[in-house]
Amino acid sequence: MTDTKKNLVGLSRDELKAEMVIAGEKPFRAKQVWHWVYHQGETDFAKMTTLSKDAREKLAQNYVVARPQVAENLLSEDKSRKWLLRLDDGNEVEMVFIPEDDRGAVCVSSQVGCTLTCKFCNTGTQRLVRNLSCEEIVGQFMIARDTYGEWPTPTGERLLSNIVLMGMGEPLYNAEEVVKAMKIVMDGEGIALSKRRITLSTAGVVPEIIRCGEELGVNLAVSLHAANDALRNQIMPINKKYPLDQLMDACRNYPGANNARRITFEYVMLKDINDSLDDAKELVKLIEGLPCKFNLIPFNGWPGVAYECSSGNAMHRFSNYLNDAGYSAPIRVSRGRDIMAACGQLKSESERKRKAS
Ligand code: SAH
């Protein structure tokens, strides 16, 4: 029955107003419903007590407040968590939570699968691709809040303090829905997450980078992974479309990319591929004059992949060189190894299991 009812999650404020009118309610009801859905996290219309009883019943007849279904929910021994989420059409995406001491980042997916086919990425091997809807993107973060009981939206400290758009998919190939979803998440009368606490990670969809800065003003992370076009073409095919000079231009022009809000360059450490001292030198030349920081990611292997993670020595040498050149370049601590937290791993495993049974 419920699947004939429209989900209110993912509607913009204007769309929600329009639905209230369709339902025969006054448009101002939208403000109240918004509060219940995004501030209180309420899913049951009957409990939305600021609405008249009549309005509650009417809404319940025509609408739902729903999230994607949680197919798996795995807690790592290091306290990171991974959810496998099942969408209405049966497709699956992953979401991860990476807690620090008193805060943490929820890593959200933007697509089912990914079209980029980066050679080191497991998601790139998964064929089926579609964009996630705004409803499904916002729904992910709401599931994280459900799991940790972080409703209503806390006024002070939060455990789920950040969103990183670093899950499956390329967010800037789904910019429309991602922008809409982040606007809902940033709305001060709902989930109320500040743009400073949102980071969008892109492989370098140059035309959309500026738009992301102008419309959202969130932090930008760029998956660089190589300091020259020859290597980057090889490991990230998107570089053939948007080569490094264009990508660097977009980064230099990113609104607010000053010292206060520096761009992060992600760099996956691949043994004997991109981890030499010469690579580090070339990298420093490439980003000259651009206020930025690095995030060195130890490569996370998966079955059938041709790469290995760099040695600890190589990673430290690389990190030290960047530090000496004046850049922050921590080596990311790998989390959730026991729950297959690397991009795309859990979904691939779930598909394998289904084929086997
Ligand atoms: N499409 C976006 C966001 C998703 S990937 C992007 O490319 O930025 C998030 C980050 O994980 C990217 O930097 C990606 O290159 C990296 N990544 C993918 N597979 C990895 C692996 N096996 N080990 C380490 N990092 C990986």
Side-chain angles (χ1 to χ4, degrees):
M1 280 309 279
T2 53
D3 57 8
T4 60
K5 296 181 187 177
K6 189 164 184 171
N7 190 3
L8 293 183
V9 171
L11 300 183
S12 69
R13 274 181 182 266
D14 284 345
E15 289 168 340
L16 190 58
K17 259 187 221 160
E19 286 303 332
M20 291 304 118
V21 174
I22 292 169
E25 288 293 322
K26 291 267 176 339
F28 77 86
R29 290 273 176 232
K31 197 174 160 70
Q32 295 172 315
V33 172
W34 185 276
H35 180 88
W36 283 110
V37 173
Y38 295 118
H39 179 80
Q40 298 288 354
E42 187 53 68
T43 54
D44 182 355
F45 288 106
K47 293 187 184 150
M48 300 186 181
T49 47
T50 55
L51 305 177
S52 70
K53 212 152 174 251
D54 177 53
R56 284 180 248 166
E57 279 165 14
K58 227 186 313 177
L59 291 176
Q61 277 162 18
N62 297 295
Y63 300 99
V64 289
V65 179
R67 294 90 157 99
Q69 193 193 325
V70 177
E72 288 194 56
N73 177 345
L74 305 174
L75 183 63
S76 163
E77 31 189 57
D78 68 19
K79 298 278 186 277
S80 61
R81 187 183 292 274
K82 185 154 197 166
W83 296 259
L84 186 69
L85 306 179
R86 193 160 298 141
L87 310 172
D88 283 350
D89 62 1
N91 277 316
E92 291 173 337
V93 289
E94 300 173 0
M95 174 170 72
V96 179
F97 176 57
I98 306 141
E100 307 295 338
D101 287 342
D102 53 354
R103 39 182 266 131
V106 180
C107 178
V108 166
S109 291
S110 56
Q111 296 182 309
V112 176
C114 189
T115 55
L116 294 172
T117 63
C118 299
K119 295 291 177 289
F120 48 82
C121 180
N122 194 196
T123 303
T125 65
Q126 295 167 6
R127 249 201 254 122
L128 198 66
V129 178
R130 75 162 171 85
N131 283 336
L132 294 187
S133 63
C134 170
E135 164 187 343
E136 290 162 338
I137 298 168
V138 176
Q140 285 177 69
F141 189 69
M142 297 176 92
I143 285 174
R145 280 246 179 120
D146 295 343
T147 304
Y148 287 90
E150 202 156 76
W151 297 112
T153 297
T155 47
E157 300 284 290
R158 312 174 178 192
L159 180 62
L160 308 180
S161 59
N162 290 64
I163 288 184
V164 291
L165 283 154
M166 286 185 192
M168 304 174 73
E170 169 49 52
L172 294 187
Y173 276 155
N174 185 18
E176 211 62 48
E177 298 297 302
V178 166
V179 166
K180 188 178 172 195
M182 291 306 108
K183 283 186 176 161
I184 291 175
V185 163
M186 295 187 316
D187 188 293
E189 289 175 33
I191 293 170
L193 207 65
S194 143
K195 63 183 180 184
R196 285 174 194 80
R197 300 208 176 265
I198 299 174
T199 300
L200 185 147
S201 177
T202 180
V205 185
V206 166
E208 300 290 346
I209 286 179
I210 300 297
R211 173 180 173 198
C212 162
E214 281 171 352
E215 284 192 41
L216 291 176
V218 297
N219 301 308
L220 183 70
V222 172
S223 296
L224 199 54
H225 306 330
N228 62 64
D229 283 320
L231 178 58
R232 202 162 187 269
N233 284 342
Q234 213 178 306
I235 61 177
M236 298 180 73
I238 190 177
N239 195 69
K240 293 177 198 157
K241 197 162 180 194
Y242 304 115
L244 280 171
D245 58 340
Q246 291 181 24
L247 180 56
M248 288 302 125
D249 270 354
C251 290
R252 287 175 210 282
N253 294 322
Y254 190 71
N258 50 28
N259 271 315
R261 259 168 17 93
R262 281 169 294 170
I263 289 175
T264 301
F265 287 115
E266 296 162 275
Y267 197 95
V268 63
M269 300 302 302
L270 303 169
K271 186 179 183 181
D272 298 334
I273 303 285
N274 66 356
D275 63 351
S276 73
L277 205 50
D278 283 344
D279 291 312
K281 287 180 186 165
E282 204 174 3
L283 191 55
V284 167
K285 283 221 184 80
L286 180 74
I287 49 97
E288 206 186 316
L290 180 69
C292 64
K293 53 193 173 186
F294 290 91
N295 201 345
L296 305 181
I297 315 174
F299 170 66
N300 220 329
W302 39 274
V305 71
Y307 301 110
E308 280 177 63
C309 183
S310 305
S311 69
N313 274 347
M315 291 196 281
H316 283 109
R317 183 180 58 190
F318 205 91
S319 171
N320 288 341
Y321 184 85
L322 294 175
N323 287 159
D324 291 345
Y327 300 97
S328 158
I331 301 167
R332 189 193 284 176
V333 180
S334 191
R335 303 280 295 265
R337 280 193 181 280
D338 53 330
I339 54 168
M340 295 181 284
C343 190
Q345 265 188 319
L346 184 60
K347 184 187 170 196
S348 287
E349 178 65 19
S350 158
E351 281 171 0
R352 256 197 304 280
K353 273 192 216 154
R354 251 187 294 168
K355 273 182 202 141
S357 64

